[in-house]
Amino acid sequence: EVQLVESGGGLVQPGGSLRLSCAASAFTFSNYWMSWVRQAPGKGLEWVANIKPDGGERYYVDSMKGRFTISRDNAKNSLYLQLNNLRVEDTAVYYCARVWVAAVDSWGQGTLVTVSS
Amino acid sequence: QSALTQPASVSGSPGQSITISCTGTSSDVGGYNYVSWYQQHPGKVPKLMIYDVSNRPSGVSNRFSGSKSGNTAFLTISGLQAEDEADYHCSSFTSSSVVVFGGGTRLTVL
């Protein structure tokens, strides 16, 4: 069974940084586009970014360009999201997601990022 | 990359059918056959119910169906059951090579 396990969330002050990680297992990680999707408390889902299987292409939602960086290490079956210059409105559960034909067919359990002073 | 538009809530009685709409633009829903639908129960992880407008992943009930007309996609649930009560989110691939979600629709089974 596909497993995606996120880590790295926590409480951070506005303007601070965090690095989220996602450990993937039970599938050939290097064959799939991967993504980060977030969900603010009581709100809908929001796509953050996606990355090509070889890491050669990365795409971001406009509102997060320049602050967030998605990356991957296929040798370690791991996906990452660097979050910089965090704002209160970035508070959300961040999900690691496996992408298949522009749909998310597997989700991690999520890691909570709370931005507050 | 504006969010797709979904009704905030819909409701139906057991056994009835309901349809949830998801409206975008020619740069997302209308331009690609990459519309997906997700079911999310409170406190749970979303589950893929429909992909590529109308395809069901293995294991998803055939009571769930998807369609599209122009810039609007639809999710229809027939034979409503109590367990269908959940939030439903649509998404579409966009011309920016990212995916955009709708705001979500709360389905209440009366």
Side-chain angles (χ1 to χ4, degrees):
Chain A
E1 182 183 346
V2 171
Q3 276 213 315
L4 299 168
V5 180
E6 303 94 337
S7 60
L11 175 64
V12 62
Q13 291 188 337
S17 298
L18 276 178
R19 189 193 195 209
L20 308 183
S21 299
C22 170
S25 60
F27 68 100
T28 306
F29 181 72
S30 59
N31 285 353
Y32 286 85
W33 283 80
M34 296 295 294
S35 171
W36 288 95
V37 177
R38 72 181 185 181
Q39 187 169 32
K43 301 296 185 182
L45 300 169
E46 184 177 26
W47 195 269
V48 174
N50 43 286
I51 186 168
K52 196 177 178 182
D54 64 3
E57 295 176 31
R58 312 173 194 203
Y59 300 96
Y60 300 88
V61 167
D62 285 346
S63 60
M64 297 168 215
K65 276 180 189 173
R67 296 192 303 125
F68 295 178
T69 303
I70 189 171
S71 62
R72 64 192 296 161
D73 185 337
N74 286 344
K76 295 183 178 179
N77 289 337
S78 293
L79 178 72
Y80 306 100
L81 185 67
Q82 178 68 40
L83 308 171
N84 294 332
N85 191 20
L86 282 161
R87 305 167 180 166
V88 170
E89 55 266 34
D90 294 319
T91 294
V93 173
Y94 285 73
Y95 293 103
C96 173
R98 189 178 81 167
V99 179
W100 181 65
V101 290
V104 175
D105 68 345
S106 294
W107 301 74
Q109 288 301 308
T111 186
L112 177 62
V113 172
T114 303
V115 185
S116 174
S117 54
Chain B
Q1 298 167 355
S2 299
L4 306 176
T5 300
Q6 296 181 236
S9 63
V10 298
S11 62
S13 300
Q16 287 186 332
S17 294
I18 63 96
T19 296
I20 300 171
S21 62
C22 171
T23 300
T25 69
S26 58
S27 295
D28 38 64
V29 175
Y32 305 91
N33 287 323
Y34 290 136
V35 175
S36 303
W37 290 90
Y38 302 87
Q39 177 191 65
Q40 187 178 28
H41 289 106
K44 301 297 186 182
V45 172
K47 175 185 176 184
L48 180 64
M49 305 300 284
I50 296 287
Y51 67 95
D52 289 0
V53 176
S54 59
N55 292 317
R56 281 187 308 276
S58 174
V60 172
S61 169
N62 60 9
R63 297 186 299 106
F64 292 83
S65 62
S67 62
K68 189 182 87 167
S69 177
N71 295 337
T72 300
F74 303 93
L75 173 71
T76 298
I77 308 174
S78 59
L80 267 181
Q81 299 179 1
E83 67 209 49
D84 298 332
E85 186 162 292
D87 292 329
Y88 290 85
H89 308 271
C90 66
S91 74
S92 173
F93 185 75
T94 75
S95 58
S96 301
S97 296
V98 293
V99 167
V100 63
F101 285 97
T105 298
R106 173 69 53 87
L107 169 62
T108 301
V109 180
L110 302 170

